């Protein structure tokens, strides 16, 4: 995902128009529109300002991660992060299938542990 798409998504997710955001950030609408449309590269200082404004990481603004909170998400192990990224790419139907499968696995594991405890 390009960073300009990410900043647009963040703005829309926060129910802000370009005009409203520009007023809050004290900037000209044309400048912001050019960033959001990918016509100009977002300067680092502005990316930092956006990250602080939306309370997300710079990596999220840059599209380097799909985790909005870089510092909290950095603690996740790589294998867990990969699983989460795969899960988020699934359709809603396949997410439901996976959740059912996980429920079945967990039930089976509990049953296996119970049987081991009860065995003489």
């Amino acid at each position: 995902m390009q960073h300009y798409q990410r900043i647009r998504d963040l703005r829309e997710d926060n129910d802000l128009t370009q005009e409203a955001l520009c007023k809050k950030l004290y900037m000209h609408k044309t400048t912001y529109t050019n960033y959001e449309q990918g016509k100009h590269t977002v300067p680092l200082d502005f990316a930092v300002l956006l990250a602080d404004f939306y309370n997300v990481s710079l990596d999220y603004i840059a599209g380097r991660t799909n985790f909005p909170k870089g510092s909290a998400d950095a603690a996740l192990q790589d294998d867990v992060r990969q699983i989460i990224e795969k899960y988020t790419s699934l359709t809603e139907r396949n997410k439901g299938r996976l959740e059912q499968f996980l429920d079945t696995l967990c039930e089976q594991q509990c049953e296996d542990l119970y049987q081991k405890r009860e065995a003489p």
Side-chain angles (χ1 to χ4, degrees), residues 17-39:
T17 63
Q18 286 184 346
E19 293 84 6
L21 178 64
C22 290
K23 282 183 184 178
K24 289 179 181 277
L25 300 179
Y26 304 103
M27 69 180 306
H28 196 274
K29 182 180 178 281
T30 304
T31 303
Y32 179 78
T33 300
N34 286 332
Y35 295 153
E36 200 171 274
Q37 291 177 351
K39 292 180 180 177

Side-chain angles (χ1 to χ4, degrees), residues 1 5-7 10 15 17 21 24 33 38-39 42 44 52 59-60 63-64 67 70 73 78 91 97 99 109:
M1 171 180 284
Q5 180 64 44
R6 180 63 49 90
I7 65 173
L10 282 166
D15 296 323
T17 63
L21 178 64
K24 289 179 181 277
T33 300
K39 292 180 180 177
V42 176
L44 180 60
D52 290 344
D59 280 343
Y60 186 73
R64 293 180 53 174
F67 301 107
D73 296 324
D78 285 339
T91 64
R97 289 176 175 167
E99 289 165 5
Q109 181 173 305

Side-chain angles (χ1 to χ4, degrees), residues 41-97:
T41 302
V42 176
L44 180 60
D45 60 337
F46 184 65
V48 170
L49 178 70
L50 287 174
D52 290 344
F53 180 79
Y54 291 120
N55 195 27
V56 297
S57 70
L58 278 173
D59 280 343
Y60 186 73
I61 294 281
R64 293 180 53 174
T65 181
N66 290 326
F67 301 107
K69 306 285 185 190
S71 60
D73 296 324
L76 292 176
Q77 295 175 353
D78 285 339
D79 58 341
V80 174
R81 190 173 299 136
Q82 288 173 358
I83 290 169
I84 292 170
E85 288 179 359
K86 286 178 184 179
Y87 176 82
T88 58
S89 71
L90 294 174
T91 64
E92 290 303 313
R93 182 176 183 191
N94 284 336
K95 285 178 183 178
R97 289 176 175 167

Side-chain angles (χ1 to χ4, degrees), residues 97-115:
R97 289 176 175 167
L98 179 59
E99 289 165 5
Q100 288 176 341
F101 179 70
L102 287 172
D103 287 343
T104 302
L105 281 177
C106 289
E107 288 171 10
Q108 183 63 48
Q109 181 173 305
C110 288
E111 189 175 306
D112 291 347
L113 288 172
Y114 178 76
Q115 287 178 358

